[in-house]
Amino acid sequence: MDNCLFCRIARGEIPSAKVYEDDEILAFKDIQPQRPVHVLVIPKRHITSLAHVAATDVPLLGRMLAVAKQIADDQGSPEGFRVIINTGRIGGQEVEHLHAHIVGGLEPVGPMLKRI
Ligand code: 5GP
Ligand code: ZN
C-alpha cells in the first residue's frame, strides 16, 4: 500500500510522535487530539479495517488491545480510557488502515456516541 497514510507512517516516511512500537504494532499521537490523551494504535502491515481481518489476524488484534493499558498509563490516563475502532463508511472511518483510538486523560471522556 504505497500511498496509504498509515503505511507511510509505519515505514517512517511521514513523521509521527511514537509512543509505542514493536515488531508488528506502532502507536503514535493523533495529529488532532480530541482529548488530552489521544493515541492511534495500528498494525504495521496494511489491514484496511476491522471489516477486513482474517482469522490469522486474531493474535495481532488481541495484541493491539493488550497494549492499550500500558499506553494509557504512560500517556497520562491512569484511571481508564476508551478504545474506538471506526469501521467503514457507517462507522465514520476516515483513514483506510485499521487503527484503534485510545482516548482519555484525567477527566471522563463523555457519553459513548458523542463525537470525540
Ligand atoms: P478515523 O476517523 O479514520 O477513525 O480516524 C483517523 C484519525 O487519524 C483522525 O483522528 C485524524 O486526526 C488522524 N490523522 C489523520 N492524519 C494523520 C497524520 O498524518 N498523523 C497523525 N498522527 N494522525 C493523523
Ligand atoms: Zn496501510
Side-chain angles (χ1 to χ4, degrees):
M1 297 299 284
D2 288 355
N3 278 324
C4 168
L5 175 62
F6 287 175
C7 282
R8 296 193 69 195
I9 286 177
R11 290 195 296 264
E13 295 171 10
I14 294 174
S16 66
K18 292 180 192 176
V19 301
Y20 174 84
E21 182 171 20
D22 63 32
D23 55 339
E24 289 188 304
I25 292 169
L26 179 66
F28 52 94
K29 294 183 182 181
D30 196 290
I31 204 165
Q32 276 192 294
Q34 302 295 314
R35 292 293 183 275
V37 174
H38 189 167
V39 170
L40 302 174
V41 182
I42 68 167
K44 287 184 171 177
R45 68 178 163 81
H46 185 84
I47 299 173
T48 300
S49 83
L50 201 57
H52 295 78
V53 297
T56 50
D57 297 324
V58 169
L60 171 61
L61 291 171
R63 294 184 55 241
M64 285 174 61
L65 296 178
V67 297
K69 166 68 174 157
Q70 190 61 55
I71 290 169
D73 282 348
D74 292 348
Q75 295 302 306
S77 192
E79 295 183 50
F81 53 89
R82 184 170 294 164
V83 176
I84 301 166
I85 304 178
N86 296 323
T87 303
R89 180 178 69 85
I90 298 299
Q93 182 178 4
E94 291 175 357
V95 178
E96 293 190 338
H97 179 128
L98 175 63
H99 53 280
H101 298 251
I102 299 172
V103 289
L106 296 177
E107 303 293 333
V109 297
M112 187 167 71
L113 289 179
K114 192 173 179 181
R115 179 68 184 173
I116 63 156

